[in-house]
Amino acid sequence: MLNKYARAFFTRVLTPFAAFLIRRGVSPDTVTLIGTAGVVAGALVFYPRGEFFWGTVVITLFVFSDLVDGNMARQLGRSSRWGAFLDSTLDRVADGAVFGGFALWYAGSGDDNVLCAVSIFCLASGQVVSYTKARGESIGLPVAVNGLVERAERLVVSLVAAGLAGLHAFGVPGIQYLLPIALWAVAVGSLVTLIQRVVTVRRESAEAEAAEQQQALGSEADR
């Protein structure tokens, strides 16, 4: 739902800004690199110190680069395999930094080994969820399932919870528990999504192999 509706909305909103950058001679790849650097810095500088509110503010400012660079490429008519590869690769780097920042906090001053482990699981499962789709498509399968929790959901749930949890430093009581709840929700949702995609790939693989065998039998019968 987030990919379908929110992405379309923000794409329209950010189109004038993308056009402005193009007029200034900025390339889509530059925006991708700067955006990723900003997300990584925000996550690894602020989150390990427990500064969730300001870390989320910084990350949010840069995370929209994921929409701006693609918008710029479309306006320039330069959509390319390299651009898609770079964008997808750096998305994984940014995701790893966010959940790595949470893990560092809970491994250090946050002093909670269980939530540290949950954060690491969110990091790893997010990478694997993306890999299952990419790998399935690389062997010729459609992988016709999105799953319960995709990248947009993982980021929105985690960042919103982190930002709100950061308000505890400003005197809002009890709100710090939102982040642990969100991490558990993302972990469970990622596991469900991973299972959905693995089951889908297994089914599509069996169907493809059955179709190939049927085609081979048909070819032999025609001889």
Side-chain angles (χ1 to χ4, degrees):
M1 289 179 64
L2 286 171
N3 276 334
K4 183 177 180 180
Y5 298 108
R7 193 178 187 91
F9 170 76
F10 283 110
T11 296
R12 290 194 298 270
V13 171
L14 294 171
T15 293
F17 180 62
F20 169 78
L21 293 177
I22 290 172
R23 291 195 298 270
R24 293 291 180 176
V26 180
S27 71
D29 288 352
T30 300
V31 173
T32 303
L33 291 168
I34 292 174
T36 302
V39 171
V40 170
L44 297 183
V45 171
F46 291 95
Y47 283 175
R49 298 188 296 181
E51 297 178 4
F52 295 119
F53 177 78
W54 293 115
T56 301
V57 169
V58 171
I59 291 170
T60 302
L61 290 175
F62 285 99
V63 81
F64 284 106
S65 65
D66 189 44
L67 300 177
V68 174
D69 56 5
N71 194 308
M72 292 172 66
R74 285 189 293 274
Q75 291 189 45
L76 290 168
R78 294 182 187 171
S79 295
S80 65
R81 292 183 178 87
W82 162 249
F85 170 81
L86 180 66
D87 189 56
S88 180
T89 300
L90 294 183
D91 280 349
R92 306 288 84 76
V93 173
D95 292 358
V98 170
F99 291 104
F102 293 145
L104 288 172
W105 162 251
Y106 287 116
S109 300
D111 193 24
D112 193 319
N113 289 335
V114 172
L115 287 175
C116 176
V118 172
S119 300
I120 294 173
F121 179 82
C122 289
L123 190 163
S125 61
Q127 308 295 323
V128 177
V129 164
S130 298
Y131 174 79
T132 53
K133 188 173 183 67
R135 181 58 177 154
E137 291 175 342
S138 73
I139 58 176
L141 300 175
V143 195
V145 62
N146 289 324
L148 181 64
V149 176
E150 292 189 285
R151 181 174 187 258
E153 286 80 8
R154 289 196 303 272
L155 278 181
V156 169
V157 171
S158 302
L159 293 179
V160 169
L164 292 176
L167 294 177
H168 180 70
F170 297 93
V172 179
I175 202 164
Q176 70 272 21
Y177 298 110
L178 284 178
L179 181 55
I181 293 171
L183 289 174
W184 276 107
V186 170
V188 172
S190 296
L191 178 60
V192 171
T193 303
L194 177 59
I195 294 171
Q196 288 176 306
R197 289 191 174 179
V198 169
V199 169
T200 298
V201 169
R202 178 179 173 81
R203 174 178 53 80
E204 291 177 348
S205 177
E207 291 173 352
E209 291 172 0
E212 289 172 359
Q213 291 177 358
Q214 187 66 33
Q215 184 176 9
L217 291 173
S219 299
E220 292 179 1
D222 291 337
R223 291 175 183 175

